Amino acid sequence: MSVVLSELHYLPSIPYFQQLLTADALLLDAHEHYHKQTYRNRCLILTVQGPQPLTVPVVDGARSEKVCTSEIEIDYSQNWMHRHFRTLQTAYNSSPYFGYYADYLQDIYASKPALLWDLNLEMLRLLLRCLRWPLPIELTTQYLSPTPLLIHSFTPSLIDKRDFLTPKGAVDSLGPDSTSQRPYLQVFGPAFVPGLSVLDLLFMHGPAAGQFL
């Protein structure tokens, strides 16, 4: 049994899901310290101006790296939910399946989860349902020290993929976010843009997106 250990991303990228293709389950690190400027609170989407990050603001960002990721609070003093959804709407309203999934996203934003962890987990579970991918999700019960291959009571084969995908790596053409992706028609072209949130694929392929991965 193969289990991938990973941090929890906001609206994860296509490469994030690709690293789970051969996994039997996903183990999320609920006891790590939060890292700033990572995909934990941001994703990339494609707009008419090119790739654009969507970032969820967090409370007390200066001290956030001393806080457990699962305890990071979202800053609702900024109307970021409206901005994120309107940006998605502007970018993907002409895509074949945006209208099919828009209400589900709006419902999660409207629920205003207090914690970034809860928001990300709700989004991840929604995306797995939309991809028709019944991948089991488990949470760590303690912090696991990084090693190339972790041995854990949960499984005899636990593969550590924490921080394998980073925004910094996405800029570098040789970085892990630029793993080979099968090009597909995107709303804005003609050049294919890799490393985007899986929403980009979902809005274009709908229920077939999971098979496309």
Short mmCIF file of all heavy atoms in Angstrom, two decimals, residues 106-162:
data_model
loop_
_atom_site.label_atom_id
_atom_site.label_comp_id
_atom_site.label_asym_id
_atom_site.label_seq_id
_atom_site.Cartn_x
_atom_site.Cartn_y
_atom_site.Cartn_z
N GLN A 106 -18.81 28.77 -4.40
CA GLN A 106 -19.44 29.87 -3.68
C GLN A 106 -19.92 29.45 -2.30
O GLN A 106 -19.81 30.20 -1.34
CB GLN A 106 -20.60 30.44 -4.50
CG GLN A 106 -20.19 31.52 -5.49
CD GLN A 106 -21.38 32.28 -6.03
OE1 GLN A 106 -22.35 31.68 -6.49
NE2 GLN A 106 -21.32 33.59 -5.98
N ASP A 107 -20.46 28.25 -2.22
CA ASP A 107 -20.96 27.75 -0.93
C ASP A 107 -19.84 27.65 0.10
O ASP A 107 -20.03 27.98 1.28
CB ASP A 107 -21.64 26.39 -1.10
CG ASP A 107 -22.99 26.48 -1.79
OD1 ASP A 107 -23.53 27.60 -1.88
OD2 ASP A 107 -23.49 25.43 -2.24
N ILE A 108 -18.67 27.20 -0.33
CA ILE A 108 -17.54 27.08 0.60
C ILE A 108 -17.05 28.46 1.02
O ILE A 108 -16.80 28.71 2.20
CB ILE A 108 -16.40 26.25 -0.03
CG1 ILE A 108 -16.85 24.79 -0.21
CG2 ILE A 108 -15.15 26.31 0.86
CD1 ILE A 108 -15.82 23.91 -0.87
N TYR A 109 -16.93 29.36 0.06
CA TYR A 109 -16.51 30.72 0.40
C TYR A 109 -17.51 31.37 1.36
O TYR A 109 -17.13 32.04 2.33
CB TYR A 109 -16.39 31.58 -0.86
CG TYR A 109 -15.16 31.28 -1.70
CD1 TYR A 109 -15.26 31.10 -3.08
CD2 TYR A 109 -13.90 31.22 -1.13
CE1 TYR A 109 -14.14 30.85 -3.85
CE2 TYR A 109 -12.77 30.96 -1.91
CZ TYR A 109 -12.90 30.77 -3.27
OH TYR A 109 -11.79 30.52 -4.02
N ALA A 110 -18.79 31.18 1.09
CA ALA A 110 -19.84 31.80 1.92
C ALA A 110 -19.85 31.25 3.34
O ALA A 110 -20.29 31.93 4.27
CB ALA A 110 -21.20 31.59 1.27
N SER A 111 -19.37 30.02 3.53
CA SER A 111 -19.35 29.42 4.87
C SER A 111 -18.29 30.05 5.77
O SER A 111 -18.32 29.88 6.99
CB SER A 111 -19.12 27.91 4.78
OG SER A 111 -17.79 27.61 4.36
N LYS A 112 -17.33 30.76 5.18
CA LYS A 112 -16.29 31.50 5.89
C LYS A 112 -15.62 30.66 6.99
O LYS A 112 -15.72 30.99 8.18
CB LYS A 112 -16.85 32.79 6.48
CG LYS A 112 -17.36 33.77 5.44
CD LYS A 112 -17.87 35.06 6.05
CE LYS A 112 -16.75 35.87 6.65
NZ LYS A 112 -17.19 37.23 7.08
N PRO A 113 -14.94 29.58 6.63
CA PRO A 113 -14.22 28.81 7.65
C PRO A 113 -13.23 29.69 8.39
O PRO A 113 -12.55 30.53 7.79
CB PRO A 113 -13.49 27.73 6.82
CG PRO A 113 -14.24 27.67 5.53
CD PRO A 113 -14.74 29.04 5.28
N ALA A 114 -13.13 29.52 9.69
CA ALA A 114 -12.22 30.36 10.48
C ALA A 114 -10.76 30.04 10.21
O ALA A 114 -9.91 30.93 10.25
CB ALA A 114 -12.53 30.18 11.97
N LEU A 115 -10.48 28.77 9.93
CA LEU A 115 -9.10 28.32 9.77
C LEU A 115 -8.76 28.04 8.31
O LEU A 115 -9.60 27.49 7.56
CB LEU A 115 -8.85 27.06 10.60
CG LEU A 115 -9.10 27.17 12.11
CD1 LEU A 115 -8.86 25.83 12.79
CD2 LEU A 115 -8.21 28.25 12.74
N LEU A 116 -7.55 28.36 7.92
CA LEU A 116 -7.08 28.05 6.56
C LEU A 116 -7.14 26.54 6.31
O LEU A 116 -7.49 26.10 5.21
CB LEU A 116 -5.64 28.56 6.39
CG LEU A 116 -4.99 28.27 5.04
CD1 LEU A 116 -5.69 29.03 3.92
CD2 LEU A 116 -3.49 28.64 5.09
N TRP A 117 -6.80 25.76 7.32
CA TRP A 117 -6.82 24.30 7.20
C TRP A 117 -8.21 23.81 6.80
O TRP A 117 -8.35 22.98 5.90
CB TRP A 117 -6.38 23.66 8.51
CG TRP A 117 -6.40 22.17 8.50
CD1 TRP A 117 -7.44 21.35 8.82
CD2 TRP A 117 -5.32 21.31 8.10
NE1 TRP A 117 -7.09 20.04 8.66
CE2 TRP A 117 -5.80 19.98 8.22
CE3 TRP A 117 -4.02 21.52 7.67
CZ2 TRP A 117 -4.99 18.88 7.92
CZ3 TRP A 117 -3.22 20.43 7.38
CH2 TRP A 117 -3.70 19.13 7.51
N ASP A 118 -9.24 24.33 7.47
CA ASP A 118 -10.61 23.89 7.18
C ASP A 118 -11.05 24.30 5.77
O ASP A 118 -11.71 23.53 5.07
CB ASP A 118 -11.58 24.47 8.21
CG ASP A 118 -11.34 23.90 9.60
OD1 ASP A 118 -10.75 22.80 9.70
OD2 ASP A 118 -11.72 24.56 10.58
N LEU A 119 -10.68 25.51 5.37
CA LEU A 119 -10.99 25.96 4.00
C LEU A 119 -10.33 25.04 2.98
O LEU A 119 -10.98 24.55 2.04
CB LEU A 119 -10.50 27.39 3.80
CG LEU A 119 -10.55 27.92 2.36
CD1 LEU A 119 -11.99 28.13 1.90
CD2 LEU A 119 -9.74 29.20 2.22
N ASN A 120 -9.03 24.80 3.14
CA ASN A 120 -8.29 23.97 2.18
C ASN A 120 -8.82 22.55 2.13
O ASN A 120 -8.89 21.94 1.06
CB ASN A 120 -6.80 23.96 2.54
CG ASN A 120 -6.13 25.29 2.25
OD1 ASN A 120 -6.74 26.19 1.68
ND2 ASN A 120 -4.88 25.42 2.65
N LEU A 121 -9.17 22.00 3.30
CA LEU A 121 -9.66 20.63 3.34
C LEU A 121 -11.02 20.52 2.65
O LEU A 121 -11.28 19.56 1.92
CB LEU A 121 -9.74 20.14 4.78
CG LEU A 121 -9.96 18.64 4.99
CD1 LEU A 121 -8.89 17.82 4.30
CD2 LEU A 121 -9.99 18.31 6.48
N GLU A 122 -11.89 21.50 2.87
CA GLU A 122 -13.18 21.50 2.18
C GLU A 122 -12.99 21.59 0.67
O GLU A 122 -13.67 20.89 -0.10
CB GLU A 122 -14.03 22.67 2.67
CG GLU A 122 -14.64 22.49 4.04
CD GLU A 122 -15.64 23.59 4.37
OE1 GLU A 122 -16.61 23.75 3.59
OE2 GLU A 122 -15.46 24.28 5.38
N MET A 123 -12.08 22.46 0.23
CA MET A 123 -11.82 22.60 -1.20
C MET A 123 -11.24 21.30 -1.78
O MET A 123 -11.63 20.87 -2.87
CB MET A 123 -10.85 23.76 -1.44
CG MET A 123 -11.44 25.14 -1.22
SD MET A 123 -12.76 25.51 -2.42
CE MET A 123 -12.97 27.28 -2.11
N LEU A 124 -10.32 20.68 -1.05
CA LEU A 124 -9.72 19.44 -1.54
C LEU A 124 -10.77 18.35 -1.68
O LEU A 124 -10.81 17.63 -2.70
CB LEU A 124 -8.60 18.99 -0.59
CG LEU A 124 -7.93 17.65 -0.93
CD1 LEU A 124 -7.28 17.68 -2.31
CD2 LEU A 124 -6.92 17.28 0.15
N ARG A 125 -11.62 18.20 -0.69
CA ARG A 125 -12.66 17.17 -0.76
C ARG A 125 -13.63 17.45 -1.89
O ARG A 125 -14.09 16.52 -2.58
CB ARG A 125 -13.38 17.08 0.58
CG ARG A 125 -12.55 16.39 1.66
CD ARG A 125 -13.18 16.47 3.03
NE ARG A 125 -12.47 15.62 3.98
CZ ARG A 125 -12.51 15.77 5.29
NH1 ARG A 125 -13.24 16.76 5.83
NH2 ARG A 125 -11.84 14.96 6.08
N LEU A 126 -13.96 18.73 -2.12
CA LEU A 126 -14.82 19.08 -3.25
C LEU A 126 -14.16 18.71 -4.57
O LEU A 126 -14.80 18.10 -5.44
CB LEU A 126 -15.12 20.59 -3.22
CG LEU A 126 -15.81 21.15 -4.47
CD1 LEU A 126 -17.19 20.54 -4.66
CD2 LEU A 126 -15.88 22.68 -4.41
N LEU A 127 -12.89 19.04 -4.71
CA LEU A 127 -12.19 18.75 -5.96
C LEU A 127 -12.10 17.25 -6.22
O LEU A 127 -12.27 16.80 -7.35
CB LEU A 127 -10.79 19.37 -5.93
CG LEU A 127 -10.75 20.90 -5.97
CD1 LEU A 127 -9.34 21.41 -5.73
CD2 LEU A 127 -11.28 21.42 -7.30
N LEU A 128 -11.85 16.47 -5.18
CA LEU A 128 -11.80 15.01 -5.36
C LEU A 128 -13.15 14.47 -5.80
O LEU A 128 -13.23 13.56 -6.64
CB LEU A 128 -11.34 14.34 -4.06
CG LEU A 128 -9.85 14.49 -3.72
CD1 LEU A 128 -9.57 13.95 -2.33
CD2 LEU A 128 -8.98 13.78 -4.75
N ARG A 129 -14.24 15.03 -5.25
CA ARG A 129 -15.57 14.60 -5.69
C ARG A 129 -15.81 14.98 -7.15
O ARG A 129 -16.33 14.18 -7.93
CB ARG A 129 -16.65 15.21 -4.81
CG ARG A 129 -16.70 14.68 -3.39
CD ARG A 129 -18.02 15.01 -2.70
NE ARG A 129 -18.28 16.44 -2.67
CZ ARG A 129 -17.89 17.25 -1.69
NH1 ARG A 129 -17.17 16.76 -0.68
NH2 ARG A 129 -18.18 18.54 -1.71
N CYS A 130 -15.42 16.20 -7.51
CA CYS A 130 -15.61 16.65 -8.88
C CYS A 130 -14.78 15.84 -9.87
O CYS A 130 -15.20 15.61 -11.00
CB CYS A 130 -15.25 18.13 -9.00
SG CYS A 130 -16.35 19.26 -8.11
N LEU A 131 -13.60 15.41 -9.43
CA LEU A 131 -12.74 14.58 -10.28
C LEU A 131 -13.16 13.12 -10.27
O LEU A 131 -12.59 12.30 -10.98
CB LEU A 131 -11.29 14.69 -9.80
CG LEU A 131 -10.62 16.06 -9.97
CD1 LEU A 131 -9.29 16.09 -9.21
CD2 LEU A 131 -10.39 16.38 -11.44
N ARG A 132 -14.17 12.80 -9.44
CA ARG A 132 -14.66 11.42 -9.29
C ARG A 132 -13.52 10.49 -8.88
O ARG A 132 -13.32 9.41 -9.42
CB ARG A 132 -15.32 10.95 -10.59
CG ARG A 132 -16.52 11.80 -10.97
CD ARG A 132 -17.19 11.34 -12.24
NE ARG A 132 -18.38 12.15 -12.52
CZ ARG A 132 -19.19 11.97 -13.56
NH1 ARG A 132 -18.93 11.01 -14.43
NH2 ARG A 132 -20.23 12.76 -13.74
N TRP A 133 -12.80 10.95 -7.87
CA TRP A 133 -11.60 10.28 -7.40
C TRP A 133 -11.78 9.96 -5.91
O TRP A 133 -11.57 10.81 -5.06
CB TRP A 133 -10.40 11.19 -7.61
CG TRP A 133 -9.06 10.52 -7.50
CD1 TRP A 133 -8.81 9.26 -7.07
CD2 TRP A 133 -7.80 11.12 -7.81
NE1 TRP A 133 -7.46 9.02 -7.10
CE2 TRP A 133 -6.82 10.14 -7.55
CE3 TRP A 133 -7.41 12.38 -8.27
CZ2 TRP A 133 -5.47 10.39 -7.74
CZ3 TRP A 133 -6.07 12.62 -8.46
CH2 TRP A 133 -5.11 11.63 -8.21
N PRO A 134 -12.15 8.74 -5.55
CA PRO A 134 -12.42 8.38 -4.15
C PRO A 134 -11.13 8.08 -3.37
O PRO A 134 -10.97 6.99 -2.80
CB PRO A 134 -13.30 7.14 -4.27
CG PRO A 134 -12.84 6.49 -5.54
CD PRO A 134 -12.47 7.62 -6.48
N LEU A 135 -10.22 9.04 -3.33
CA LEU A 135 -8.94 8.84 -2.65
C LEU A 135 -9.12 9.07 -1.15
O LEU A 135 -9.53 10.15 -0.73
CB LEU A 135 -7.90 9.82 -3.20
CG LEU A 135 -6.49 9.70 -2.65
CD1 LEU A 135 -5.83 8.40 -3.14
CD2 LEU A 135 -5.65 10.91 -3.04
N PRO A 136 -8.82 8.07 -0.31
CA PRO A 136 -8.94 8.26 1.14
C PRO A 136 -7.98 9.33 1.65
O PRO A 136 -6.84 9.42 1.19
CB PRO A 136 -8.58 6.88 1.71
CG PRO A 136 -8.77 5.93 0.56
CD PRO A 136 -8.42 6.71 -0.67
N ILE A 137 -8.44 10.14 2.60
CA ILE A 137 -7.62 11.18 3.22
C ILE A 137 -7.49 10.90 4.71
O ILE A 137 -8.49 10.65 5.38
CB ILE A 137 -8.24 12.58 3.02
CG1 ILE A 137 -8.29 12.95 1.53
CG2 ILE A 137 -7.46 13.63 3.79
CD1 ILE A 137 -8.99 14.27 1.26
N GLU A 138 -6.26 10.90 5.20
CA GLU A 138 -5.99 10.73 6.63
C GLU A 138 -5.17 11.92 7.11
O GLU A 138 -4.51 12.61 6.30
CB GLU A 138 -5.22 9.43 6.88
CG GLU A 138 -5.96 8.17 6.48
CD GLU A 138 -7.09 7.84 7.43
OE1 GLU A 138 -7.05 8.35 8.57
OE2 GLU A 138 -7.98 7.07 7.04
N LEU A 139 -5.18 12.20 8.41
CA LEU A 139 -4.41 13.28 9.00
C LEU A 139 -3.36 12.70 9.95
O LEU A 139 -3.62 11.71 10.63
CB LEU A 139 -5.31 14.25 9.76
CG LEU A 139 -6.54 14.79 9.03
CD1 LEU A 139 -7.29 15.77 9.93
CD2 LEU A 139 -6.16 15.45 7.72
N THR A 140 -2.20 13.34 10.00
CA THR A 140 -1.17 12.89 10.93
C THR A 140 -1.61 13.12 12.37
O THR A 140 -2.36 14.06 12.66
CB THR A 140 0.15 13.63 10.68
OG1 THR A 140 -0.06 15.03 10.82
CG2 THR A 140 0.71 13.32 9.31
N THR A 141 -1.14 12.28 13.27
CA THR A 141 -1.43 12.44 14.70
C THR A 141 -0.26 13.07 15.45
O THR A 141 -0.37 13.40 16.62
CB THR A 141 -1.74 11.08 15.33
OG1 THR A 141 -0.64 10.18 15.11
CG2 THR A 141 -3.00 10.48 14.70
N GLN A 142 0.88 13.21 14.75
CA GLN A 142 2.06 13.85 15.32
C GLN A 142 2.94 14.30 14.16
O GLN A 142 2.72 13.91 13.01
CB GLN A 142 2.85 12.87 16.20
CG GLN A 142 3.36 11.65 15.44
CD GLN A 142 4.07 10.66 16.34
OE1 GLN A 142 4.14 10.83 17.54
NE2 GLN A 142 4.60 9.60 15.75
N TYR A 143 3.95 15.14 14.47
CA TYR A 143 4.84 15.58 13.40
C TYR A 143 5.81 14.46 13.04
O TYR A 143 6.38 13.80 13.92
CB TYR A 143 5.64 16.82 13.83
CG TYR A 143 6.56 17.29 12.73
CD1 TYR A 143 6.05 17.89 11.58
CD2 TYR A 143 7.94 17.11 12.83
CE1 TYR A 143 6.88 18.30 10.56
CE2 TYR A 143 8.79 17.52 11.82
CZ TYR A 143 8.25 18.11 10.68
OH TYR A 143 9.08 18.51 9.67
N LEU A 144 6.00 14.25 11.74
CA LEU A 144 6.91 13.23 11.25
C LEU A 144 8.13 13.91 10.66
O LEU A 144 8.01 14.73 9.74
CB LEU A 144 6.22 12.36 10.18
CG LEU A 144 4.94 11.66 10.63
CD1 LEU A 144 4.31 10.90 9.47
CD2 LEU A 144 5.24 10.71 11.78
N SER A 145 9.31 13.59 11.15
CA SER A 145 10.54 14.21 10.65
C SER A 145 10.76 13.84 9.19
O SER A 145 10.52 12.70 8.78
CB SER A 145 11.75 13.74 11.47
OG SER A 145 11.59 14.14 12.82
N PRO A 146 11.22 14.79 8.36
CA PRO A 146 11.41 14.53 6.92
C PRO A 146 12.50 13.50 6.67
O PRO A 146 13.60 13.58 7.20
CB PRO A 146 11.82 15.89 6.36
CG PRO A 146 11.41 16.88 7.39
CD PRO A 146 11.52 16.18 8.70
N THR A 147 12.20 12.49 5.87
CA THR A 147 13.16 11.52 5.37
C THR A 147 12.70 11.14 3.97
O THR A 147 11.54 11.30 3.62
CB THR A 147 13.21 10.24 6.24
OG1 THR A 147 11.91 9.64 6.25
CG2 THR A 147 13.64 10.56 7.65
N PRO A 148 13.61 10.62 3.12
CA PRO A 148 13.19 10.23 1.76
C PRO A 148 12.05 9.23 1.76
O PRO A 148 11.17 9.28 0.92
CB PRO A 148 14.47 9.63 1.16
CG PRO A 148 15.58 10.25 1.94
CD PRO A 148 15.05 10.43 3.34
N LEU A 149 12.08 8.29 2.69
CA LEU A 149 11.00 7.30 2.78
C LEU A 149 10.67 7.10 4.25
O LEU A 149 11.51 6.70 5.04
CB LEU A 149 11.43 5.98 2.15
CG LEU A 149 10.39 4.85 2.18
CD1 LEU A 149 9.15 5.26 1.36
CD2 LEU A 149 10.97 3.57 1.64
N LEU A 150 9.45 7.40 4.62
CA LEU A 150 9.05 7.29 6.02
C LEU A 150 8.38 5.95 6.28
O LEU A 150 7.58 5.48 5.48
CB LEU A 150 8.07 8.42 6.37
CG LEU A 150 8.67 9.83 6.40
CD1 LEU A 150 7.55 10.85 6.46
CD2 LEU A 150 9.59 10.00 7.59
N ILE A 151 8.74 5.36 7.40
CA ILE A 151 8.06 4.15 7.84
C ILE A 151 7.13 4.53 8.98
O ILE A 151 7.55 5.11 9.98
CB ILE A 151 9.07 3.08 8.30
CG1 ILE A 151 10.09 2.81 7.18
CG2 ILE A 151 8.35 1.81 8.70
CD1 ILE A 151 9.47 2.33 5.89
N HIS A 152 5.88 4.21 8.85
CA HIS A 152 4.87 4.66 9.81
C HIS A 152 3.88 3.55 10.03
O HIS A 152 3.65 2.73 9.14
CB HIS A 152 4.19 5.92 9.25
CG HIS A 152 3.27 6.59 10.22
ND1 HIS A 152 1.93 6.40 10.21
CD2 HIS A 152 3.53 7.46 11.23
CE1 HIS A 152 1.37 7.12 11.16
NE2 HIS A 152 2.32 7.77 11.80
N SER A 153 3.27 3.52 11.18
CA SER A 153 2.32 2.45 11.48
C SER A 153 1.12 2.48 10.55
O SER A 153 0.43 1.48 10.38
CB SER A 153 1.85 2.58 12.94
OG SER A 153 1.23 3.84 13.16
N PHE A 154 0.87 3.65 9.94
CA PHE A 154 -0.28 3.76 9.05
C PHE A 154 -0.12 2.88 7.81
O PHE A 154 -1.07 2.35 7.28
CB PHE A 154 -0.45 5.23 8.63
CG PHE A 154 -1.61 5.47 7.70
CD1 PHE A 154 -2.90 5.57 8.19
CD2 PHE A 154 -1.41 5.60 6.34
CE1 PHE A 154 -3.97 5.79 7.34
CE2 PHE A 154 -2.47 5.82 5.49
CZ PHE A 154 -3.75 5.92 5.99
N THR A 155 1.11 2.72 7.35
CA THR A 155 1.38 1.99 6.12
C THR A 155 2.84 1.58 6.08
O THR A 155 3.69 2.29 6.61
CB THR A 155 1.06 2.86 4.89
OG1 THR A 155 1.50 2.18 3.70
CG2 THR A 155 1.76 4.20 4.95
N PRO A 156 3.17 0.49 5.42
CA PRO A 156 4.57 0.10 5.29
C PRO A 156 5.32 0.96 4.27
O PRO A 156 6.53 0.89 4.19
CB PRO A 156 4.49 -1.36 4.82
CG PRO A 156 3.15 -1.45 4.16
CD PRO A 156 2.25 -0.54 4.93
N SER A 157 4.63 1.76 3.46
CA SER A 157 5.30 2.57 2.46
C SER A 157 4.68 3.96 2.41
O SER A 157 3.65 4.17 1.77
CB SER A 157 5.20 1.90 1.08
OG SER A 157 5.85 2.67 0.09
N LEU A 158 5.32 4.91 3.08
CA LEU A 158 4.83 6.28 3.14
C LEU A 158 5.84 7.18 2.45
O LEU A 158 6.98 7.29 2.87
CB LEU A 158 4.63 6.71 4.59
CG LEU A 158 3.97 8.07 4.83
CD1 LEU A 158 2.58 8.12 4.21
CD2 LEU A 158 3.88 8.35 6.32
N ILE A 159 5.43 7.85 1.38
CA ILE A 159 6.32 8.65 0.56
C ILE A 159 6.15 10.12 0.92
O ILE A 159 5.07 10.67 0.81
CB ILE A 159 6.03 8.44 -0.94
CG1 ILE A 159 6.15 6.96 -1.28
CG2 ILE A 159 6.99 9.26 -1.80
CD1 ILE A 159 5.65 6.61 -2.67
N ASP A 160 7.25 10.74 1.35
CA ASP A 160 7.22 12.13 1.81
C ASP A 160 7.32 13.08 0.63
O ASP A 160 8.36 13.21 0.00
CB ASP A 160 8.38 12.37 2.78
CG ASP A 160 8.26 13.70 3.51
OD1 ASP A 160 7.42 14.52 3.11
OD2 ASP A 160 9.02 13.91 4.48
N LYS A 161 6.23 13.78 0.35
CA LYS A 161 6.19 14.76 -0.75
C LYS A 161 5.98 16.18 -0.22
O LYS A 161 5.59 17.07 -0.98
CB LYS A 161 5.07 14.40 -1.74
CG LYS A 161 5.36 13.18 -2.58
CD LYS A 161 6.42 13.48 -3.62
CE LYS A 161 6.57 12.32 -4.61
NZ LYS A 161 7.57 12.64 -5.65
N ARG A 162 6.22 16.41 1.06
CA ARG A 162 6.01 17.74 1.63
C ARG A 162 6.95 18.76 0.99
O ARG A 162 8.14 18.51 0.84
CB ARG A 162 6.21 17.70 3.14
CG ARG A 162 5.10 16.98 3.88
CD ARG A 162 5.40 16.82 5.35
NE ARG A 162 6.54 15.93 5.58
CZ ARG A 162 6.96 15.54 6.78
NH1 ARG A 162 6.35 15.99 7.87
NH2 ARG A 162 7.99 14.73 6.91
#
